[in-house]
Amino acid sequence: MPSDSQRLGNVFTTFDRYLLKRYFHVFVIGFIATYGLYVVFDGFTNIDGFQAGAEKVSSNDLNGLEVEQNASTSLLWIMLEFYFYQSSLFFDMISPILSVLAGVVVFSLMVRHGELNPVLSAGIPTYRLAIPLAMATIIVNCVMCLNQEVIIPSIADKLQAERGDMASSAQFVEPVYDFSTRIMINGQEVFLTEQKMKNAEFVLSKPMVHDFVTVKSDTAIYQTPTQTRPGGWLLKQAIPSYQELEIAEFAREIIQPGPEPNEIFIVTDVGCDQLCNRNFSSLISTSDLIARINNPSFSDLSIRKQKLDLHSRLTRPIMNLIAVLISIPFVLRKESRSLILNIAICACVMGGLFGISQCFLYLGSTKLISPDQAAWFPVITNGTLAAWFTNRVQT
């Protein structure tokens, strides 16, 4: 026969599973509701782009009725495909908020349904109830890390595709100055999947060449570095040709002749993903972000911002867990008169903590403090406040 302590342990193990089930139920429903609102709003706002893509897909049909039917089917399929990929990016953005909201809702429902008093009457401390919610938050953080490190980088080209044209990975080029080679790289469009650039322009400066020269190419292909050769751009049909350039001796390792007579190979660490949407560091993995920080081609301002993004990515799981723990003393506030008032106070406190975090990030972006301090000071501050407010919890 099991002892009383064993039976009590089994009961609370069941109660833990009950809290976990309720937490994930609120989390999933919240994600579906918020993402559904986003899809409806964004879909109706950008319906013209989807319709243009659907008409392009069905333009080869001859029968007018079939064209209209196929266009409707293609429109639905294009929208489903687009928002299927966008769901991973939306999950990365909304999960920290939903993890805290789910914890607040779980504790609020416990108070609303009178489930807290029997637990406290049995001598169970209030923070014992936080263990399953902390475990649930850790699980959510693990899923977020998997999404950030594996899923999003693998579909980055799909996430940047235009509405109605998922097959194309074309992006407008943002000019980049390579600080290691002192070459300005520009172009019309860059194709992420094919790793090539259309209407490329490479501005060579002194003392690499005798005078400033702009090397133009209709198609430039980026070749990733290997053990036998460095990475760089292979310029097809380059104008002027390699023989026409007056290249300094030290620069011949950077500006090399291509396999064909009319080709030029320019060694650089600036690839396709660095020529578009450079501010969206959330589309790359942590290892790629570290590689960018160590890349000498970027400016100090760009490297500083990427360091700030790296430390923010490392502190985000800790901040999510602290936010869930700090909500407990305000939702389950001692001698509270109204559950609605408790939730309102909790929301105000969360807003204040968010403001503190944003203030530190702003100080880090303006060089008033270092990037690691800007990311880790909010962890120290919020963790201290979470410990400070523990005496306010109902016991």
Side-chain angles (χ1 to χ4, degrees):
M1 295 290 293
S3 62
D4 293 340
S5 60
Q6 291 176 337
R7 286 197 297 268
L8 187 61
N10 292 334
V11 169
F12 281 102
T13 300
T14 303
F15 194 71
D16 290 341
R17 293 196 298 268
Y18 168 72
L19 292 181
L20 284 172
K21 181 180 178 181
R22 177 177 285 179
Y23 179 94
F24 286 114
H25 176 78
V26 174
F27 185 90
V28 172
I29 294 300
F31 176 77
I32 294 175
T34 53
Y35 190 60
L37 290 175
Y38 166 75
V39 170
V40 171
F41 179 79
D42 186 80
F44 279 103
T45 304
N46 301 281
I47 191 64
D48 293 338
F50 291 115
Q51 287 180 341
E55 293 174 358
K56 183 179 179 181
V57 171
S58 58
S59 61
N60 294 329
D61 295 327
L62 298 178
N63 188 296
L65 180 59
E66 291 181 358
V67 169
E68 184 178 354
Q69 293 176 347
N70 290 338
S72 301
T73 305
S74 300
L75 174 63
L76 179 60
W77 173 252
I78 289 174
M79 294 183 67
L80 288 175
E81 184 182 13
F82 177 81
Y83 289 114
F84 173 76
Y85 287 110
Q86 291 294 321
S87 62
S88 60
L89 196 60
F90 188 84
F91 178 84
D92 182 75
M93 177 183 63
I94 201 67
S95 290
I97 301 175
L98 289 180
S99 60
V100 178
L101 182 61
V104 172
V105 171
V106 168
F107 283 117
S108 301
L109 290 177
M110 287 182 60
V111 176
R112 178 69 178 81
H113 297 160
E115 299 170 345
L116 181 62
N117 292 331
V119 175
L120 298 180
S121 300
I124 305 300
T126 305
Y127 274 97
R128 169 62 180 83
L129 304 177
I131 294 179
L133 298 188
M135 293 175 55
T137 305
I138 293 174
I139 293 174
V140 172
N141 286 332
C142 291
V143 177
M144 290 172 56
C145 292
L146 178 65
N147 181 58
Q148 175 68 73
E149 301 298 326
V150 179
I151 299 177
I152 290 181
S154 63
I155 60 174
D157 56 335
K158 299 292 184 181
L159 295 175
Q160 300 177 77
E162 295 184 0
R163 294 170 177 83
D165 194 9
M166 294 295 293
S168 175
S169 60
Q171 298 289 323
F172 289 109
V173 175
E174 299 176 9
V176 174
Y177 182 77
D178 187 346
F179 283 83
S180 62
T181 61
R182 290 182 289 186
I183 297 177
M184 174 64 75
I185 304 175
N186 196 3
Q188 180 179 356
E189 287 181 322
V190 61
F191 299 86
L192 301 177
T193 304
E194 297 84 355
Q195 293 286 294
K196 68 179 182 180
M197 181 166 46
K198 181 181 178 182
N199 295 334
E201 295 182 356
F202 288 73
V203 181
L204 310 180
S205 60
K206 298 178 179 180
M208 300 179 61
V209 292
H210 179 70
D211 199 358
F212 284 93
V213 178
T214 300
V215 180
K216 298 182 179 181
S217 173
D218 292 338
T219 303
I221 302 175
Y222 184 76
Q223 298 181 353
T224 56
T226 62
Q227 296 180 352
T228 58
R229 60 166 177 80
W233 289 93
L234 180 63
L235 279 61
K236 303 282 189 178
Q237 304 293 331
I239 301 175
S241 64
Y242 182 82
Q243 291 75 16
E244 297 174 349
L245 296 175
E246 299 180 10
I247 305 173
E249 190 64 31
F250 77 92
R252 294 187 181 275
E253 296 182 357
I254 300 174
I255 307 172
Q256 304 175 5
E260 300 294 333
N262 56 352
E263 295 179 349
I264 298 178
F265 183 75
I266 297 180
V267 177
T268 178
D269 293 327
V270 178
C272 289
D273 60 331
Q274 300 163 20
L275 291 172
C276 63
N277 298 326
R278 292 192 300 273
N279 295 327
F280 292 93
S281 60
S282 59
L283 299 179
I284 61 177
S285 62
T286 302
S287 59
D288 293 336
L289 185 57
I290 295 175
R292 283 192 178 187
I293 294 174
N294 297 326
N295 192 337
S297 303
F298 290 100
S299 63
D300 293 338
L301 181 61
S302 178
I303 292 177
R304 183 180 184 86
K305 181 184 181 304
Q306 293 175 31
K307 285 183 178 180
L308 186 59
D309 293 339
L310 174 62
H311 286 285
S312 299
R313 182 178 297 187
L314 296 177
T315 58
R316 186 171 64 168
I318 305 176
M319 291 290 291
N320 293 343
L321 184 59
I322 292 176
V324 172
L325 295 178
I326 206 172
S327 66
I328 299 176
F330 295 98
V331 178
L332 306 180
R333 194 161 54 95
K334 187 185 300 183
E335 299 178 356
S336 62
R337 297 183 178 180
S338 171
L339 178 61
I340 302 299
L341 180 61
N342 292 350
I343 297 176
I345 295 176
C346 181
C348 293
V349 172
M350 291 299 171
L353 297 180
F354 178 77
I356 292 174
S357 301
Q358 293 301 310
C359 179
F360 278 113
L361 292 178
Y362 175 76
L363 294 177
S365 63
T366 55
K367 299 183 179 181
L368 295 177
I369 57 178
S370 62
D372 52 345
Q373 291 175 337
W376 288 95
F377 277 175
V379 176
I380 299 174
T381 303
N382 294 351
T384 303
L385 292 176
W388 178 268
F389 289 125
T390 52
N391 61 344
R392 297 177 178 269
V393 72
Q394 181 178 352
T395 57

